[in-house]
Amino acid sequence: MTWTTSITQQMLKPLILGIAIGTSLSITSVNAEIGYPEKEELKFGFIKLTDMAPIAVAYEKGYFEEEGLYVSIEAQANWKVLLDGVIDGRLDGAHMLASAAYCCHHRLWD
C-alpha cells in the first residue's frame, strides 16, 4: 500500500460517513446532553438517485455500526412520501433536497 493510498482510505471513510449523516438527518434542534440514544434503531429514507450514494456506501461498509448507529435504509416512492415520513416521524432522517428540509422546518410544505 502506498502512502497516497493509505491517506485516501483514511480520509474517505469519515468523509462518506459525514456526508451520509449530514444528508440523512432532518433539521431539528438538539439541546440534550450526550447520553444514551433515544432510539436504538434509526430508519432513513431515500429516493433512488445517485446523490443518495453516501447513505448506501455508509450502510454497506458498516460505517454507521462502527459509530454505534444502527440504521436501516428504506426506498421511498417520491419526494412527497419521503418528506411526509420525516414530518410524521415514520422516518428518523432522509436524503432530501435542501429546499425540502427548509420547507419542512419552516412548515411551508403543503
Side-chain angles (χ1 to χ4, degrees), residues 12-54:
L12 185 61
K13 180 178 160 186
L15 176 64
I16 290 173
L17 184 60
I19 291 170
I21 292 173
T23 58
S24 300
L25 298 177
S26 63
I27 296 177
T28 57
S29 92
V30 177
N31 295 321
E33 293 182 22
I34 296 177
Y36 293 105
E38 293 177 22
K39 297 176 80 174
E40 291 192 17
E41 292 193 28
L42 301 172
K43 186 187 301 184
F44 291 163
F46 68 92
I47 301 294
K48 295 179 184 177
L49 298 170
T50 57
D51 57 349
M52 64 73 63

Side-chain angles (χ1 to χ4, degrees), residues 71-90:
V71 174
S72 62
I73 58 176
E74 183 178 289
Q76 304 297 303
N78 56 51
W79 291 113
K80 177 72 171 142
V81 171
L82 180 129
L83 193 55
D84 287 345
V86 172
I87 291 170
D88 68 20
R90 200 174 34 79

Side-chain angles (χ1 to χ4, degrees), residues 26-29 83 87 99-109:
S26 63
I27 296 177
T28 57
S29 92
L83 193 55
I87 291 170
S99 58
Y102 178 83
C103 290
C104 177
H105 180 70
H106 293 285
R107 304 186 194 290
L108 302 173
W109 196 267

